Amino acid sequence: MYFLVFYLLAHSPYSCSTHSSTCCRTRYVNRNNPGATAADTTLLGGIRAEFPAGARVVLSAGCANTSCATLDPATVALLRGQQQGRGAAAAAAVRAAEGQRQPTPTCDLLLLAMGLTADARAPSPPEGGRNACGCRHDDAVEGECCDRASDALPGQQLALVQLAAAAPVPTVLLSVNAGQVDLRWAVAAPGVHAILNLIYPGQAAGRAAAQLLLGKRTSSGGDGDGDGNDGDDGDDDADDDGSPAARLPITWYDDMEAAGSLTDYRMHARTYRYSAAKATFPFGFGLSYTTFTYGAPRWAVLPAVAAEGGAGGATAAAAAAPAAPVATVLPAGGVPAVGACDALALTVTVTNVGARASDEVVQLYLSLPRNSSVPVPARQLSSFARVRVAAGEARDVTFTIVPEDHAVMRGGDAGADFAPVLEPGVRHVWVGGCSSAALPGVATAFRVDRPAGQTLLHSCARGRAMQWWNSSTNDAARWSPNV
């Protein structure tokens, strides 16, 4: 039997917005279609609906609202009772939270719903008829004309996390937000066993969060069994084998000041591409319920395939179904040397060394030569592939790197047109689960050493519309420089 205590912050109707549902006990209502609420669930409702029959879910209000000026005394007593050995004080506090007198078992799991809520009400026109700006009620911490002053958890929320983490009970933090909040303490605390980040998730948040916690669904919406049926297909064991695989689309810095001023539009030291600032969660980060390893990279040079009007007078029909070209496999180890116009295939083997099937988002980042003639990013996402890997399975993932991927823009001086050029030098490559070594991956590189000078990207096609063969899909690849 599961026994849960669910600490919720937002009890105000203002915690529900047209675009999101961060409310916990208040039901979400779509203001554009007030009658469409049949599938709406709060976090509390989703947990109660999805957990197995017999699970007891107790709500304990940690704070009166999201601003969390003070902590609820009953919740504090319950948590301190847990810290003191899960004795009579804890049982009494649980009974008080549940409104019962009979003995109640102590907690087996703590779920903390923390974070932010949005102020989505339209600004009220003050005297003079102009729209008002600023937060319009005590529960608002961000919204239109209501900006956060810092990325800290509001009020006493961090104190509540610290109390819960000190209890000898598995604790999961459900972090509701629409952007960065400071979770460094929770990340480092051994008592916080997992963090599920909910980016203002919408009216189905309750069931979605509960299904992820129970491993029933992947974060892409599938039921986790890999059969293509994204619902309950009667195969309970398979449906319970889901694993999240979402990835963070921003860099989550330790210090929010590292994100830069909103009034400075220069890219210098901004985003994962140029910033060296320490990140709590790097760009592309995300965990699953398993672990992956990456094998040694293998390189090959792919031959160019002429499209209509190409060499030899090939017709459109012939170009649409070319004979399978033969790739030139490059020697393993070292840094392979290639020509500026070569298209490359990079293959890595991704192995699921855990006990659960899961998707992995394999990401490829390119770093151009540091001595480039123009400023270049420290790294840049070039491609990614989401693949399903069964427990114990190894899968090859192949990326195609074409000249366009590592060209730089030159020109603009004295009225000259800008043009993409390919410069000689070493291109470093990272293939892994995110943009840094925070998750497993493998580093490799290739060197452009011919011709010796710069090469105009368009000259790679020699005046013809060219396409590169994608050996991983057996389809003509994605780039035609003359189109």
Side-chain angles (χ1 to χ4, degrees), residues 429-446:
V429 180
W430 170 258
V431 181
C434 72
S435 59
S436 76
L439 291 178
V442 62
T444 183
F446 66 96

Side-chain angles (χ1 to χ4, degrees), residues 76-90 166-168:
V76 172
L78 186 149
L79 291 174
R80 287 178 176 165
Q82 295 291 317
Q83 297 170 22
Q84 295 166 2
R86 308 175 69 176

Side-chain angles (χ1 to χ4, degrees), residues 209-239:
Q211 289 164 353
L212 280 172
L213 289 171
L214 293 171
K216 288 186 175 181
R217 288 179 179 268
T218 66
S219 53
S220 62
D223 58 17
D225 59 15
D227 64 0
N229 179 4
D230 289 344
D232 187 348
D233 52 14
D235 183 358
D236 292 336
D237 291 337
D239 290 334

Side-chain angles (χ1 to χ4, degrees), residues 217-317:
R217 288 179 179 268
T218 66
S219 53
S220 62
D223 58 17
D225 59 15
D227 64 0
N229 179 4
D230 289 344
D232 187 348
D233 52 14
D235 183 358
D236 292 336
D237 291 337
D239 290 334
D240 288 341
D241 197 28
S243 176
R247 291 300 190 266
L248 194 65
I250 60 173
T251 303
W252 201 299
Y253 296 102
D254 277 8
D255 182 357
M256 192 59 194
E257 294 298 322
S261 170
L262 291 178
T263 61
D264 184 352
Y265 287 84
R266 294 175 299 171
M267 289 304 298
H268 174 71
R270 296 176 74 97
T271 77
Y272 79 97
R273 299 168 66 230
Y274 296 95
S275 176
K278 187 177 179 181
T280 307
F281 305 113
F283 179 87
F285 184 87
L287 298 178
S288 68
Y289 292 147
T290 189
T291 303
F292 296 95
T293 61
Y294 285 71
R298 289 107 67 193
W299 287 97
V301 176
L302 304 176
V305 179
E308 182 179 7
T315 65

Side-chain angles (χ1 to χ4, degrees), residues 403-416:
E404 182 187 38
D405 294 330
H406 54 98
V408 298
M409 295 297 294
R410 289 294 311 278
D413 299 328

